Amino acid sequence: MSEDNQSRNAAAGQKQRAQMEKDSVATHHELSDQGLTKRNEEFMFQLGKQLDAQGAKPEKKTQAVEETLTALIEGQKTGTTAKQLFGTPTAYATEIVKGPVHRGPREQSSYKLLALDNGLMFFNIFAFMFGLLSLFSPKSMAADQTGTSGITAIILVAVSGGLLFAWVTKVLSPAKKGEEKKPVWYKILSVVAALIAWVAIYFAASLMPTVINPTLPGIAYVVLAVLGFLADMYVRRRFNIVGGAFAGGQTQQSKK
């Protein structure tokens, strides 16, 4: 009984492969009748396979094939290849099925999001730095009589840094259409002013008494830094932050 089943399965497999080869030849013949070059013909054939493999709906596949075919025929007149127009068949099929991918500059995030992202990262950096110093060089931390390592000072410096450098990011960003372009001298003065203000806040925070600015144990700072880093990663992914001092650049890809 098992030998009969194996024979039947083998015969069915051979029949399926033969049908696929027949469909492949038929498809190639149909494409060659459209006046495509061999490379464009192969592109269309592979695109059809990828659309089937990725579960494209029949009506969407038909529309995509017709539009692609028209674009390729037009492109052949100027020597434009399928790869130049659409990339690889697999990537283009994914774009058709899951939606287009926007390539190029993305709009910069809002001032509030930039400030939040920068502030979290400044907090993480200072908390992690003072945490490591406290754990591996406790004598140097004990000898430091300033309040720069206090938790209140760290929060104040992080918040002010986030606000200031989010403003700097907005100042340095290219002007949008219809907006007046900021002169170079204004941008330079803005950066210098932000740095001076931040340093002044840093020194002012160091003067706070320990009653309102206590220094936490080193391990507490490390834990807070790790939690802050995870929070910042969540914020970046949740809001797709672009343009911050620590966020991704404006040339990343994003879905429309």
Side-chain angles (χ1 to χ4, degrees), residues 34-45:
Q34 300 294 331
L36 295 174
T37 63
K38 290 295 183 183
R39 288 187 178 182
N40 285 347
E41 182 182 317
E42 181 62 24
F43 179 89
M44 288 297 302
F45 176 65

Side-chain angles (χ1 to χ4, degrees), residues 2-239:
S2 60
E3 292 181 358
D4 290 340
N5 288 335
Q6 290 178 358
S7 299
R8 290 175 182 175
N9 291 336
Q14 290 178 356
K15 185 177 181 181
Q16 186 177 11
R17 285 193 295 271
Q19 183 62 40
M20 290 175 64
E21 291 176 1
K22 182 179 178 181
D23 292 342
S24 174
V25 173
T27 304
H28 274 295
H29 282 317
E30 292 171 3
L31 291 172
S32 62
D33 292 339
Q34 300 294 331
L36 295 174
T37 63
K38 290 295 183 183
R39 288 187 178 182
N40 285 347
E41 182 182 317
E42 181 62 24
F43 179 89
M44 288 297 302
F45 176 65
Q46 294 298 331
L47 176 63
K49 289 177 61 177
Q50 286 297 325
L51 288 173
D52 290 336
Q54 297 187 33
K57 295 181 179 179
E59 59 273 12
K60 178 177 281 191
K61 178 184 175 182
T62 301
Q63 181 183 357
V65 168
E66 290 177 354
E67 293 176 354
T68 305
L69 186 60
T70 302
L72 289 178
I73 293 174
E74 288 297 318
Q76 287 180 176
K77 297 177 182 179
T78 57
T80 307
T81 64
K83 188 173 183 180
Q84 291 172 328
L85 288 171
F86 306 109
T88 65
T90 302
Y92 184 47
T94 302
E95 187 172 320
I96 292 170
V97 175
K98 297 183 179 180
V101 176
H102 172 66
R103 295 175 177 85
R106 289 165 52 191
E107 185 177 352
Q108 192 179 75
S109 298
S110 67
Y111 173 78
K112 291 181 179 180
L113 287 176
L114 293 179
L116 177 60
D117 175 51
N118 292 342
L120 281 171
M121 283 307 298
F122 282 132
F123 175 82
N124 300 337
I125 291 170
F126 281 105
F128 192 68
M129 178 182 69
F130 286 122
L132 291 182
L133 283 174
S134 180
L135 290 174
F136 297 103
S137 185
K139 291 183 179 180
S140 63
M141 285 287 291
D144 184 13
Q145 299 299 317
T146 65
T148 54
S149 61
I151 184 64
T152 307
I154 292 175
I155 293 174
L156 182 61
V157 170
V159 170
S160 60
L163 294 172
L164 286 169
F165 286 98
W167 174 70
V168 168
T169 300
K170 288 294 184 181
V171 170
L172 297 179
S173 61
K176 297 180 180 179
K177 290 183 179 180
E179 290 184 350
E180 184 179 354
K181 186 178 181 181
K182 299 179 181 69
V184 176
W185 64 264
Y186 177 80
K187 294 181 178 181
I188 294 175
L189 286 179
S190 299
V191 173
V192 173
L195 286 172
I196 292 174
W198 198 37
V199 171
I201 293 171
Y202 179 83
F203 280 109
S206 68
L207 300 177
M208 290 190 298
T210 55
V211 176
I212 60 173
N213 185 35
T215 299
L216 303 182
I219 188 65
Y221 279 137
V222 173
V223 171
L224 287 174
V226 172
L227 293 176
F229 178 78
L230 293 175
D232 192 41
M233 289 298 98
Y234 170 78
V235 169
R236 289 190 192 184
R237 293 180 181 180
R238 173 67 178 79
F239 298 103

